[in-house]
Amino acid sequence: MLTCEQVAQLISESLDRKLPLRKRLAVRTHYLFCKACPQFEKQVRFMRDALRQFQDRVESVESFFATPLSSEIRERMKQALSQAAGDMGSGEM
Ligand SMILES: [Zn+2]
């Protein structure tokens, strides 16, 4: 059985490339017992997509966060981050 930490690692790997079936199944199995990790994956994917959307406009994450235009996205990301952190903290297996 994977720990939440291992699952978080696999989630970030899965953003770059497709995971092998065995690992995907292990993550899915973990999701049956854990509410925090699927939530975490959702947040991470949302942030990845948001960054992708803006990456032609900004040069780095720092300038992304300094861009006044993105204040609404920034708020949502801040909420997503703190929510994910809270979920991970209380989501002990
Ligand atoms: Zn978990």
Side-chain angles (χ1 to χ4, degrees):
M1 183 63 75
L2 297 175
T3 66
C4 290
E5 216 170 304
Q6 289 169 319
V7 169
Q9 179 60 41
L10 288 174
I11 289 171
S12 62
E13 272 180 42
S14 76
L15 295 179
D16 301 324
R17 59 195 152 84
K18 205 165 185 194
L19 294 175
L21 180 64
R22 205 165 55 87
K23 286 185 177 178
R24 289 212 305 277
L25 282 176
V27 170
R28 289 298 144 194
T29 306
H30 181 87
Y31 283 5
L32 296 177
F33 304 99
C34 181
K35 274 191 209 162
C37 288
Q39 190 66 22
F40 176 69
E41 178 176 8
K42 232 172 25 186
Q43 312 287 11
V44 166
R45 286 185 184 280
F46 165 74
M47 284 187 274
R48 197 264 317 259
D49 292 345
L51 282 172
R52 255 190 204 167
Q53 221 175 315
F54 283 91
Q55 71 185 358
D56 53 341
R57 260 197 259 173
V58 297
E59 283 159 19
S60 66
V61 175
E62 287 96 81
S63 64
F64 172 76
F65 278 99
T67 305
L69 282 174
S70 66
S71 63
E72 192 197 324
I73 299 281
R74 223 160 28 141
E75 262 322 296
R76 288 177 67 186
M77 286 179 72
K78 228 160 55 181
Q79 278 170 13
L81 275 172
S82 60
Q83 198 186 338
D87 287 350
M88 293 300 282
S90 62
E92 212 66 62
M93 283 286 287

